[in-house]
Structure formats: C-alpha cells, structure tokens
Amino acid sequence: MIANHEAGRSHDGALEKVDVLLRELPRDENGTISLGQLSDAMEERAIGLMLLILAIPCCLPFVYLLPQIVAVPMAVLVGQMALGRKAPWLPVGLRKRRLPVEGFRSVLARVRKWGGWLERLTHRRFAGLTNTFAARVVGALLFVPCLSILTPLPLTNTVPGIGVAVASAGLIERDGLFVILGVFIALAWVAALLIGGPALIYVIVGLIGLR
C-alpha cells in the first residue's frame, strides 16, 4: 500500500506519508488501529516508516503514556534492522497493541508545526549511508536510545525520540545526512544523561533539601 502512496506522492515528505497512512487505515469503534495493521499496510521502506510513526509521540515534551507504549515496538524494530530485516515482524502480543489514531495525528500536527521546515530539507543524498549494511549499523546504534524512551523518567524520551525520528526520515527519503544527524542526536543525549544525570539528580535533591 505504501508503494502506491509513494508513486502518487513522491514529492511529499516523510511526515506527510505518515499522515496519509494514519488517515486511510480503518479504525475500530474506539478510533484505534493495531500495530499489526500498520505493519501489514507497509511494503518498501516499511521498517523506517513504521519506526518514524512510533517515534513521533516521543518528539514532544509532556506527552505521557504514548512514549512508553511505543518504546518496546521501537526497540523490536531497530533490533530487526540490526539483523538485516527489510520488512517488520512483530510478535502476536505487539501486533494486537492498539494505538489512538487521533492522538497520534494531534502529536503529528504539532511536530509538523514546529519541525516542518526540517522535513522540507530532506532529499536524496549520500544514499550509500541508507543501504542494507548501513541500516543494520543504524539499527544497532538506535537500540539504546529506544530503551531510553522506555524509561518513564523526565528527559529520557523527547530528545532520543527526535533523534530516532530524524534518522527514520533519513532512511525513508534516502538521506544519509539526516541518518547521521539523527543517530548523533539520539546517542549524544543518552551519553549526556549517563554522564550528567547523576550530577543533575544530586543538584535537584540538594535544592529540594534546601527548601
């Protein structure tokens, strides 16, 4: 199905492809879709597009619950990328996991409002950095940021989510520069948390203690 969308909308960016897919997939009476539906609707570049969809709720601060819902499927997907899979495979339990479409589209609209200019910068370049081998390396590098998103603590999901989304958009658009940028953002923030996190917690505890 995605191949058909891309044939008629080759000028559209990655976020537009996501919005089209979310609009057109059938929903249940609660307005939700399953991860299995998303997976089955995708063909070429399926893992990159599905990873982008799941990373979108993590890109904005103060969005609760959704990041933790999507973090495990994200980790599964990047693990499959690292193993060289081109089409996503999800276990039955994850395929049945349901996602609120309008909630996703609301977050997507906010992301496009503030980051739409970045999407317009993506285009095919350094395509060798998006080939099969490069995608395996990217999948391995993004595994830790996806685990960071799973952690329900402040500052652990927004920036890694942005990094994963940027890298995913790069894979979809065959933009090696965006792939590198996304991986750097995600890993740099996780490294900063690991190095500076304990010191930050110490400062916060000290400030609370002073009160």
Side-chain angles (χ1 to χ4, degrees):
M1 293 184 187
I2 284 298
N4 294 333
H5 289 321
E6 291 183 358
R9 299 174 180 268
S10 59
H11 61 286
D12 291 332
L15 295 180
E16 175 63 21
K17 293 181 177 72
V18 170
D19 194 41
V20 169
L21 183 62
L22 291 175
R23 284 202 312 266
E24 296 186 356
L25 279 177
R27 315 174 192 182
D28 66 6
E29 63 276 6
N30 297 317
T32 66
I33 57 176
S34 70
L35 281 176
Q37 285 177 274
L38 278 177
S39 178
D40 294 342
M42 299 175 187
E43 295 173 2
E44 185 183 7
R45 288 178 271 184
I47 289 185
L49 187 55
M50 192 166 185
L51 190 59
L52 176 60
I53 292 174
L54 296 178
I56 285 171
C58 310
C59 292
L60 295 175
F62 311 117
V63 175
Y64 302 107
L65 186 61
L66 269 178
Q68 282 65 53
I69 291 176
V70 300
V72 172
M74 287 172 67
V76 171
L77 287 173
V78 297
Q80 291 179 31
M81 285 175 59
L83 294 174
R85 288 188 64 94
K86 295 183 178 180
W89 174 87
L90 296 174
V92 174
L94 289 181
R95 284 182 61 84
K96 291 181 178 179
R97 185 170 293 189
R98 305 202 69 83
L99 306 172
V101 175
E102 290 307 317
F104 263 81
R105 294 193 65 208
S106 174
V107 174
L108 177 61
R110 290 161 64 189
V111 170
R112 295 182 73 180
K113 177 181 178 181
W114 299 108
W117 63 271
L118 190 62
E119 179 190 22
R120 291 189 290 272
L121 296 178
T122 60
H123 58 84
R124 185 182 179 94
R125 57 190 157 187
F126 307 120
L129 296 174
T130 66
N131 63 22
T132 301
F133 175 76
R136 296 183 69 169
V137 175
V138 170
L141 292 175
L142 290 180
F143 189 75
V144 172
C146 288
L147 293 182
S148 172
I149 294 169
L150 180 61
T151 307
L153 294 174
L155 305 178
T156 59
N157 55 35
T158 302
V159 178
I162 292 171
V164 173
V166 170
S168 301
L171 290 172
I172 294 167
E173 301 297 331
R174 299 289 192 258
D175 190 334
L177 183 61
F178 263 58
V179 171
I180 293 174
L181 178 62
V183 170
F184 174 78
I185 291 171
L187 289 179
W189 186 254
V190 171
L193 286 178
L194 291 175
I195 296 170
L200 179 61
I201 293 174
Y202 179 81
V203 170
I204 293 174
V205 170
L207 290 174
I208 294 175
L210 289 175
R211 294 178 182 179

